[in-house]
Amino acid sequence: MAKSAPFVWLDGKLVPWEQATMHVATECVLRGENVFEGIRAYWSEAEQELFLFKHAEHIARLRQGAKIMRMTIPYTDAQIEAASLELIRACGYRGQVHYRPVAYFDMGNLTDYLPSEIRTGMFILAFSTPTTKQVHEGVTTCVSTWRRNSDLASPSRVKSGANYHNSRLAYIEARLNGFQIPILLNAAGKVAEGPGACFMMVRNGKIITPPVTADILESITRETLIGLVQAELGLEVIEREIDRTELYICDEAFFCGSGHEITPINSVDHYPVGEGKPGAITRRIQKLYFDVVCGAVPKYRHWLTPVWGGASRAAAE
Ligand SMILES: Cc1ncc(COP(=O)(O)O)c(C=O)c1O
């Protein structure tokens, strides 16, 4: 059964789920011509409040992707934030949410590629999305035979629906071969990322992650962790190329991303990572991350946007 939600925000207004439809001839439907974000909102039990995590940073990335695509988003940042809040409130969520603002190209003639020739619309989806079992237990992975989209062909830096054809091919292959999540190498044969998350590993107590020039999405979670683990856990972070065989000998490894959160990697190509279960450093990073996103660390409260503004606390009292 596919996920659904009570409402969708579509081109300026809330519409019931069943009525959130789009013509089959739009560029968005035909060619995946869109740019989107996946953002989480975290529920604080202590405060009875829901917090958007780094909403502004995600919208800044949405605009970067749109710029590369030469797409003009017809809403301001304030309008997109207001729309996201309106949708999440209308859906009545009081628990973890994953929401997706999507800017899309509408219908055009065959080569109507210029922004002046084709309308851009926007919709936002918001789902109740609790943390998965995989985040707690870790996953099995493999190195995909598919290479990550090259910056010279279909830039991974742009979070466009069309890029996820690449992710999908890798995912399916991994699943058919009995693994949970693939790791994609880039065209140069170096580790890039997962199909929907960035990659980090631990070697000799240091965190190592591919640079943003390795054909990866410039992940907000990756950037957040690079800062947090150095500042709060005193761990060194090195951004450098990673060889395939390093995957087989690293001490710990995990995916990071808004959707996948921090998902420990238990094995790669049947080689156990460390002891074949989530490692101690990964667990410490998870704890820190979840404390921060739920508002438990005052220093980082500026990354959070409250959804209910105390309304649900009042309702609970
Ligand atoms: C391909 C890909 N890489 C990395 C990420 C992680 O990015 P972020 O941390 O901004 O969610 C995502 C998730 O959205 C993704 O789809």
Side-chain angles (χ1 to χ4, degrees), residues 200-208 250-254 281:
M200 292 195 174
M201 68 179 182
V202 182
R203 289 194 71 186
N204 302 319
K206 293 177 182 150
I207 311 290
I208 305 170
C250 63
D251 306 318
E252 299 184 29
F254 56 89
I281 292 179

Side-chain angles (χ1 to χ4, degrees), residues 22-31 33 104-120:
M22 185 172 288
H23 199 279
V24 291
T26 57
E27 284 296 310
C28 181
V29 173
L30 268 176
R31 299 193 177 97
E33 295 287 359
Y104 70 93
F105 280 129
D106 202 341
M107 266 183 268
N109 293 312
L110 203 57
T111 54
D112 284 351
Y113 288 135
L114 292 176
S116 55
E117 295 171 338
I118 186 162
R119 178 185 159 267
T120 301

Side-chain angles (χ1 to χ4, degrees), residues 58 61 148 159 164 193-198 217 219-221 256-258:
H58 279 276
R61 186 177 65 190
R148 194 73 187 134
K159 195 168 167 63
Y164 286 78
E193 59 181 348
C198 278
L217 181 69
S219 151
I220 310 292
T221 317
C256 66
S258 307

Side-chain angles (χ1 to χ4, degrees), residues 258-270:
S258 307
H260 288 266
E261 305 183 287
I262 296 171
T263 300
I265 294 173
N266 293 339
S267 66
V268 185
D269 290 340
H270 298 295

Side-chain angles (χ1 to χ4, degrees), residues 132-247:
T132 62
K133 216 167 80 167
Q134 296 187 343
V135 172
H136 299 295
E137 297 177 1
V139 291
T140 59
T141 71
C142 60
V143 174
S144 180
T145 64
W146 297 99
R147 295 296 169 99
R148 194 73 187 134
N149 293 326
S150 156
D151 194 60
L152 298 174
S154 184
S156 296
R157 181 170 284 105
V158 180
K159 195 168 167 63
S160 168
N163 277 352
Y164 286 78
H165 176 55
N166 177 239
S167 294
R168 191 166 190 276
L169 287 172
Y171 234 125
I172 293 169
E173 177 193 54
R175 298 268 290 276
L176 290 176
N177 289 335
F179 301 98
Q180 287 170 289
I181 302 183
I183 296 171
L184 288 107
L185 308 182
N186 57 27
K190 302 296 178 186
V191 173
E193 59 181 348
C198 278
F199 175 85
M200 292 195 174
M201 68 179 182
V202 182
R203 289 194 71 186
N204 302 319
K206 293 177 182 150
I207 311 290
I208 305 170
T209 192
V212 290
T213 48
D215 289 328
I216 65 171
L217 181 69
E218 292 189 0
S219 151
I220 310 292
T221 317
R222 173 187 174 281
E223 191 66 24
T224 302
L225 292 184
I226 288 174
L228 276 181
V229 303
Q230 295 184 104
E232 304 303 325
L233 303 180
L235 296 170
E236 188 180 340
V237 179
I238 302 167
E239 296 176 64
R240 67 154 173 82
E241 285 182 342
I242 295 178
D243 281 339
R244 175 178 185 157
T245 47
E246 290 188 272
L247 300 173

